[in-house]
Amino acid sequence: MEAFKGKYERTSAENYDEMLKVLDVNILLRKAATVSTPVMEVTEEGGSWNIKTSTTLKNMELKFKLGEPFDETTPDGRAVTAVVTFEDGKLVTVQKAKKEGEKSTKSTREMSSPDEMVYTITVDGSDVVCVQKFKRI
């Protein structure tokens, strides 16, 4: 888990627009999201983790303790119950939609090297796989 701590900048995003379409994100927000270069910072204090993602348009924070479910509103506005676990060297986040008709997602963050994090997102009921790569800065 220590290996995840640090600050990263996105270097690539594969199938990002397609995933946002599956989540019913409108075209203006999709365009803004796909042209941004987010910076992600991972910190931990006393067992409480924080993943802060910042762009010029929006800042988002994911605060959690491993294995403890919590409620959150996703950047695209879905109300979900989420839980983050550490499995096989990966941070795994499962977000279950609270409203019928809204989508649930699963994402993994893994270190592919000491300086690169790979962030993979899937949407339940879809075969779209979004892969984003972040480089330590």
Side-chain angles (χ1 to χ4, degrees):
M1 292 287 301
E2 288 293 315
F4 286 89
K5 293 180 183 177
K7 202 175 219 182
Y8 306 84
E9 184 173 69
R10 187 170 70 196
T11 56
S12 68
E14 180 183 315
N15 291 328
Y16 190 34
D17 189 57
E18 291 83 354
M19 182 204 61
L20 294 173
K21 284 180 190 173
V22 170
L23 291 172
D24 297 323
V25 175
N26 75 52
I27 191 163
L28 291 175
L29 289 177
R30 285 200 325 264
K31 291 297 177 202
T34 55
V35 300
S36 68
T37 304
V39 172
M40 179 190 329
E41 186 170 14
V42 182
T43 57
E44 179 267 341
E45 190 173 318
S48 294
W49 288 85
N50 187 7
I51 300 175
K52 182 178 182 180
T53 306
S54 306
T55 67
T56 52
L57 296 174
K58 193 171 194 171
N59 294 331
M60 300 148 284
E61 281 192 90
L62 180 67
K63 294 181 179 186
F64 61 92
K65 287 188 176 183
L66 288 175
E68 292 186 12
F70 59 96
D71 293 330
E72 73 165 323
T73 300
T74 63
D76 59 298
R78 292 172 294 124
V80 300
T81 298
V83 66
V84 181
T85 55
F86 190 65
E87 302 170 24
D88 300 321
K90 302 175 187 178
L91 277 175
V92 179
T93 306
V94 175
Q95 297 173 319
K96 292 288 180 195
K98 292 182 177 183
K99 284 186 186 171
E100 195 170 322
E102 289 190 345
K103 307 274 195 307
S104 297
T105 61
K106 179 179 181 179
S107 63
T108 60
R109 290 176 175 89
E110 63 184 305
M111 299 303 296
S112 61
S113 75
D115 291 324
E116 184 179 70
M117 182 187 301
V118 178
Y119 180 36
T120 305
I121 308 161
T122 57
V123 180
D124 289 5
S126 166
D127 59 0
V128 173
V129 178
C130 173
V131 179
Q132 299 181 42
K133 293 184 178 178
F134 288 79
K135 182 178 178 172
R136 192 181 298 272
I137 54 174

